[in-house]
């Protein structure tokens, strides 16, 4: 099947990167997956499985892994799936070999902690010649890799490029919906990770489904206030990459961020939880950056503030809960 973007490189071979490379291969593209870990390259190429980050899922034999970052630059389009806090460094290494105007799709979710930048802002500094795109939405890597039905937002200012990219990686079971609102697509993915930690804490404390629904809804109000202040469109925030992703992440222990919150609510320390994982719970790193953005735009985000206080050890779980429950009643908006 011919397409303008026939060779797809996926940079970052964690669970989500591997799933996206699997999608590209299943869509008939020449898919190459860059991995930092030699054992992942060996496992993908030899056993057609990412035993470290996505064990138990058979990968398309056409999917090939590499440890050579310059090979990714030769692709027609690049999907960046390295964790948000490492995105800049990988982009800077890749940048000298990337041609002017090449689509670079940001598939990680988060805010750069050191600068409080959205990842499109990081891309603009580290690789200014690239054409930015964002892929985000309610998606668990294992489900996507297995071919279970999933829908996502694919944002690019050039709608023709967005459509061509969607056609390149789209499947009947992996459905990209196009948008030109990059900020909206990004902000939902960044903020929902922080809110999911809060929902996990509610679950870990056994406060019940009603409390989790309330926190999710009030959390969405916070997400929307910040997104609108930053120039996002409400249609995007209420769509797959905003509300859709928030619903998924705040309601399933399969979410890394919610499961971390559950452990915190049960009394475990952050160090205990993080030390037992080989995957990234991005909400921990993005929490302080999200709060910095809220202050910059003079937006009230009490739930996100509470999560940031917990993950930075400025307050205990019980103290934060007591403070939230003591807030005065107010109009819903």
């Amino acid at each position: 099947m011919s397409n303008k973007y026939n060779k797809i490189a996926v940079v970052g071979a964690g669970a989500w990167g591997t799933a996206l490379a699997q999608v590209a291969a299943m869509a008939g593209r020449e898919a190459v997956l860059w991995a930092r870990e030699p054992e992942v390259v060996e496992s993908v190429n030899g056993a057609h499985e990412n035993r470290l980050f996505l064990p138990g899922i058979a990968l398309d034999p056409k999917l090939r892994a590499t440890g050579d970052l310059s090979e990714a630059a030769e692709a027609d389009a690049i999907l960046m799936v390295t964790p948000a806090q490492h995105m800049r460094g990988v982009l800077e290494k890749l940048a000298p070999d990337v041609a002017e105007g090449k689509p670079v799709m940001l598939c990680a979710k988060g805010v750069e902690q050191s600068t409080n930048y959205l990842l499109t802002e990081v891309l603009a500094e580290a690789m200014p010649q690239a054409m930015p795109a964002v892929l985000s939405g309610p998606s668990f890597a294992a489900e996507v890799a297995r071919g279970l039905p999933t829908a996502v937002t694919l944002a690019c200012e050039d709608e023709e490029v967005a459509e061509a990219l969607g056609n390149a990686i789209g499947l009947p079971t992996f459905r990209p919906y196009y948008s030109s609102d990059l900020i909206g697509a990004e902000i939902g993915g960044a903020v929902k990770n922080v809110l999911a930690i809060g929902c996990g804490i509610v679950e870990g404390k056994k406060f019940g489904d009603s409390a989790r629904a309330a926190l999710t809804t009030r959390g969405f109000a916070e997400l929307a206030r910040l997104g609108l202040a930053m120039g996002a469109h409400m249609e995007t925030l209420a769509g797959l990459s905003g509300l859709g992703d928030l619903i998924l992440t705040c309601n399933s222990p399969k979410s890394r961020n919610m499961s971390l919150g559950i452990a915190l609510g049960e009394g475990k320390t952050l160090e205990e939880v993080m030390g037992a994982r080989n995957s990234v719970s991005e909400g921990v790193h993005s929490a302080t950056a999200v709060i910095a953005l809220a202050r910059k735009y003079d937006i009230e985000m009490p739930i996100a503030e509470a999560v940031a206080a917990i993950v930075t050890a400025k307050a205990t779980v019980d103290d934060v809960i007591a403070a939230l429950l003591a807030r005065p009643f107010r109009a819903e908006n």
Side-chain angles (χ1 to χ4, degrees), residues 3-34:
N3 186 280
K4 182 178 180 181
Y5 304 115
N6 191 54
K7 184 174 182 180
I8 302 291
V10 178
V11 176
W16 185 224
T18 304
L20 288 174
Q22 169 89 325
V23 164
M26 291 171 64
R29 306 300 148 220
E30 181 185 348
V32 59
L33 175 65
W34 176 81

Side-chain angles (χ1 to χ4, degrees), residues 109-110 188-198 249 257 282-284 286:
K109 299 170 182 177
V191 177
K192 62 94 186 181
N193 283 330
V194 180
L195 299 172
I197 295 174
T249 314
N257 292 283
E282 188 56 57
V284 172
S286 291

Side-chain angles (χ1 to χ4, degrees), residues 12 81-88 108-109 119 280 282:
V81 204
T82 49
Q85 307 311 321
H86 301 286
M87 184 69 75
R88 183 184 294 272
K109 299 170 182 177
L119 296 184
V280 177
E282 188 56 57

Side-chain angles (χ1 to χ4, degrees), residues 231-306:
H233 303 156
M234 191 63 201
E235 296 87 351
T236 313
L237 299 172
L240 290 163
S241 61
L243 181 59
D245 209 358
L246 182 68
I247 290 170
L248 178 70
T249 314
C250 291
N251 285 283
S252 174
K254 287 189 287 187
S255 155
R256 289 170 295 186
N257 292 283
M258 185 180 183
S259 64
L260 181 141
I262 290 173
L264 294 176
E266 291 173 341
K268 294 184 176 68
T269 67
L270 185 63
E271 291 73 21
E272 287 174 330
V273 183
M274 298 288 278
R277 298 183 171 200
N278 68 355
S279 58
V280 177
S281 296
E282 188 56 57
V284 172
H285 303 293
S286 291
T288 53
V290 166
I291 293 311
L293 287 174
R295 290 170 181 161
K296 176 181 177 181
Y297 289 94
D298 196 24
I299 300 299
E300 190 179 47
M301 299 183 72
I303 298 171
E305 288 261 14

Side-chain angles (χ1 to χ4, degrees), residues 42-261:
E42 182 180 348
S43 177
V44 171
N45 290 338
H48 307 301
E49 179 186 357
N50 186 338
R51 290 172 175 159
L52 184 60
F53 295 113
L54 201 61
I57 296 179
L59 300 177
D60 192 310
K62 298 189 298 295
L63 170 57
R64 184 173 57 83
T66 181
D68 182 1
L69 191 58
S70 65
E71 189 175 346
E74 300 168 3
D76 300 322
I78 303 170
L79 277 58
M80 296 296 303
V81 204
T82 49
Q85 307 311 321
H86 301 286
M87 184 69 75
R88 183 184 294 272
V90 179
L91 285 170
E92 287 174 345
K93 290 178 183 175
L94 191 59
D97 299 318
V98 173
E100 183 77 29
K102 181 167 293 188
V104 174
M105 192 185 303
L106 300 164
C107 306
K109 299 170 182 177
V111 182
E112 188 176 53
Q113 201 170 22
S114 60
T115 60
N116 305 325
Y117 279 4
L118 298 180
L119 296 184
T120 47
E121 296 174 293
V122 175
L123 177 63
E125 283 193 353
M127 194 186 289
Q129 75 272 30
M131 176 177 290
V134 173
L135 183 77
S136 191
S139 47
F140 285 145
E143 294 179 356
V144 170
R146 289 191 176 103
L148 299 181
T150 304
V152 293
T153 298
L154 199 168
C156 182
E157 289 183 354
D158 188 320
E159 293 186 12
E160 287 186 9
V161 172
E163 185 173 354
L165 288 170
N167 288 334
I169 63 172
L171 294 166
T173 55
F174 188 78
R175 309 185 64 82
Y177 284 77
Y178 314 131
S179 171
S180 59
D181 180 11
L182 279 79
I183 293 175
E186 279 194 277
I187 203 68
V191 177
K192 62 94 186 181
N193 283 330
V194 180
L195 299 172
I197 295 174
C199 280
I201 291 170
V202 166
E203 188 72 11
K205 297 292 282 187
K206 301 191 185 314
F207 285 163
D209 294 340
S210 300
R212 191 176 70 250
L215 189 143
T216 304
T217 307
R218 295 308 302 160
F220 177 68
E222 295 186 15
L223 184 159
R225 283 198 294 269
L226 179 61
L228 292 172
M230 295 181 68
H233 303 156
M234 191 63 201
E235 296 87 351
T236 313
L237 299 172
L240 290 163
S241 61
L243 181 59
D245 209 358
L246 182 68
I247 290 170
L248 178 70
T249 314
C250 291
N251 285 283
S252 174
K254 287 189 287 187
S255 155
R256 289 170 295 186
N257 292 283
M258 185 180 183
S259 64
L260 181 141

